[in-house]
Amino acid sequence: MTEKNRRAAALLHHRAEALKRGEPVAPPIVQSSVFHLPGEPEAAYQYGRFGHPNWDAVEAQLAIMEDAPCVAFPSGMAAIASVLYASLKSGDRIIVPSDGYYTTGALAQEFLSPMGVTTILHPTLALEQSSFDGVALVLLETPSNPGLDVCDIAAIAAKVKAAGARLVVDNTMMTAFGQRPLDLGANIVVSAATKAPGGHSDALLGHVASRDDALITRIRDWRRLAGAIPGAMDAWLVHRGLETLDVRLERMCATAGVIAARLQDHSATVSVRYPGLNTDPSYALAKNQMDNFGFIIGLTLKDKTVAEGFLSNCPLIAQTTSFGSVHSSGERRARWGDAVPDGFVRLSIGCEPVDELWAAIDKALQVM
Ligand SMILES: Cc1ncc(COP(=O)(O)O)c(C=O)c1O
């Protein structure tokens, strides 16, 4: 029995203990903004911005996965924003990735800098050598999105701690079933359940996880006061998605390994990044630090025309700007200004049977 399997099983039965005879096994969707509250306001639920049964259900699952208290938010960015706004003050300096999900840096630079917080951008691979003196918070993302560079969380966590700063890991690319930043010394995990945890391209959600009780209380207070709250339906959808995350990831990661190897041998390919390829620069560290190699492949084709042609010719790749769904998807990241070649496609491998998916990819590449 592995620790991950223990968590995966517990997640499926987390409601069992509290269930009374005749109550529904699946959590009901509580589509109510108010709760019956006569007299003194002492009740489990008082008002829909303070607390909600569907948040509690999804947070209970996330807490099992993370082995830490969790706070749910309406998106991954709302979760990241809560950490920045609830933990920083004027005069602080923070480090965020220059090659990670660009919105985090944009949020910090556009909205935190006028409040006196200085944002420093560092490439993922340079973090281990960086100095954290005088820094309040370091946020990293590994593997980086979309370049798939991997950095050593434990080594960086030790340096960040020695400098008296906090380490935040954006674990969206891996989820707690693929990588355990809190066990490696990170203070906080942020993650977008919009991606693999929800997994069906039908809901947005995010969460913050931390074993620092005071910080979790402050994050909860921030959510209540700022009003960045998840909707009942989205929380319910992600609750249902999380029940199959373990089994979906198994399929997605195994298929990604096969597709990455076949793409590496394909004549249309300029280069492939996938941490599970033993020729990949991320391989050694990924093997040590990650529980699987993920489901994202970085495929570089000749140029923009070839990449766009490939995407529009492949019926089993949805052309979307997200990842982690049951539907394989892909996009040219240069269209958003990421520092990648024009022909770079971020492929997110879904749950299609591997041979069908490969046949569709191979056929779409032949046309080029
Ligand atoms: C690594 C990473 N973190 C955070 C987010 C933000 O998630 P959301 O879109 O739910 O706000 C994304 C979205 O693409 C992401 O890729």
Side-chain angles (χ1 to χ4, degrees):
M1 203 217 268
T2 65
E3 170 55 22
K4 196 217 76 187
N5 286 347
R6 185 197 63 74
R7 287 183 280 120
L11 182 155
L12 285 167
H13 295 277
H14 79 94
R15 279 169 53 78
E17 217 169 283
L19 279 186
K20 297 192 187 75
R21 190 179 290 264
E23 284 186 339
V25 170
I29 305 170
V30 180
Q31 198 62 56
S32 185
S33 58
V34 288
F35 300 88
H36 184 55
L37 196 67
E40 294 303 313
E42 281 156 13
Y45 302 106
Q46 304 162 328
Y47 177 58
R49 182 161 43 77
F50 301 173
H52 189 281
N54 289 112
W55 311 349
D56 285 354
V58 78
E59 284 176 0
Q61 289 177 314
L62 291 165
I64 290 168
M65 281 179 68
E66 298 280 6
D67 207 3
C70 291
V71 187
F73 283 91
S75 66
M77 279 317 301
I80 292 169
S82 79
V83 170
L84 301 179
Y85 283 90
S87 69
L88 296 173
K89 59 180 188 326
S90 177
D92 281 346
R93 296 166 71 227
I94 67 169
I95 292 179
V96 301
S98 56
D99 52 351
Y101 184 55
Y102 68 96
T103 312
T104 303
L107 171 71
Q109 283 175 316
E110 192 154 335
F111 289 98
L112 291 179
S113 75
M115 296 179 186
V117 173
T118 305
T119 304
I120 306 156
L121 299 173
H122 274 212
T124 300
L125 288 180
L127 271 179
E128 265 169 83
Q129 274 70 51
S130 300
S131 163
F132 303 125
D133 291 342
V135 169
L137 181 150
V138 177
L139 186 144
L140 67 81
E141 198 184 293
T142 177
S144 59
N145 173 21
L148 298 172
D149 283 330
V150 168
C151 62
D152 187 332
I153 299 175
I156 294 165
K159 278 185 73 176
V160 170
K161 189 176 176 194
R166 275 195 177 121
L167 179 63
V168 183
V169 175
D170 182 337
N171 206 26
T172 301
M173 297 275 277
M174 294 307 295
T175 85
F177 282 156
Q179 179 167 267
R180 315 265 304 133
L182 295 177
D183 290 353
L184 298 171
N187 304 94
I188 303 168
V189 160
V190 289
S191 190
T194 310
K195 316 295 175 185
H200 293 73
S201 313
D202 53 13
L204 285 101
L205 205 91
H207 80 269
V208 176
S210 178
R211 294 172 186 156
D212 177 337
D213 290 338
L215 186 79
I216 281 289
T217 301
R218 194 162 161 76
I219 297 278
R220 253 184 228 291
D221 287 347
W222 190 86
R223 177 177 67 180
R224 181 171 47 83
L225 297 172
I229 54 162
M233 186 69 190
D234 289 70
W236 186 89
L237 282 166
V238 171
H239 185 279
R240 191 167 71 161
L242 281 168
E243 292 187 327
T244 55
L245 177 61
D246 182 41
V247 72
R248 281 185 285 113
L249 283 177
E250 253 179 51
R251 165 78 85 113
M252 289 156 69
C253 300
T255 303
V258 173
I259 301 277
R262 290 183 187 171
L263 282 172
Q264 200 174 31
D265 291 339
H266 201 285
S267 57
T269 298
V270 174
S271 65
V272 175
R273 289 296 308 267
Y274 180 66
L277 291 173
N278 61 13
T279 48
D280 193 275
S282 295
Y283 179 73
L285 198 46
K287 196 163 184 290
N288 195 27
Q289 174 167 280
M290 290 151 51
D291 297 323
N292 58 52
F293 293 113
F295 49 82
I296 304 280
I297 298 172
L299 169 65
T300 304
L301 297 171
K302 191 165 141 254
D303 54 26
K304 174 179 173 181
T305 313
V306 171
E308 289 293 349
F310 163 64
L311 288 168
S312 39
N313 282 336
C314 190
L316 295 189
I317 295 181
Q319 296 191 65
T320 69
T321 188
S322 195
F323 57 84
S325 174
V326 288
H327 321 100
S328 289
S329 64
E331 70 166 335
R332 260 186 351 99
R333 286 302 299 183
R335 68 179 180 163
W336 298 108
D338 284 357
V340 288
D342 273 347
F344 177 94
V345 174
R346 184 183 66 194
L347 276 181
S348 172
I349 300 301
C351 287
E352 300 85 357
V354 62
D355 288 334
E356 274 65 18
L357 183 59
W358 173 250
I361 290 174
D362 187 33
K363 191 163 170 220
L365 288 172
Q366 306 294 345
V367 183
M368 298 293 103

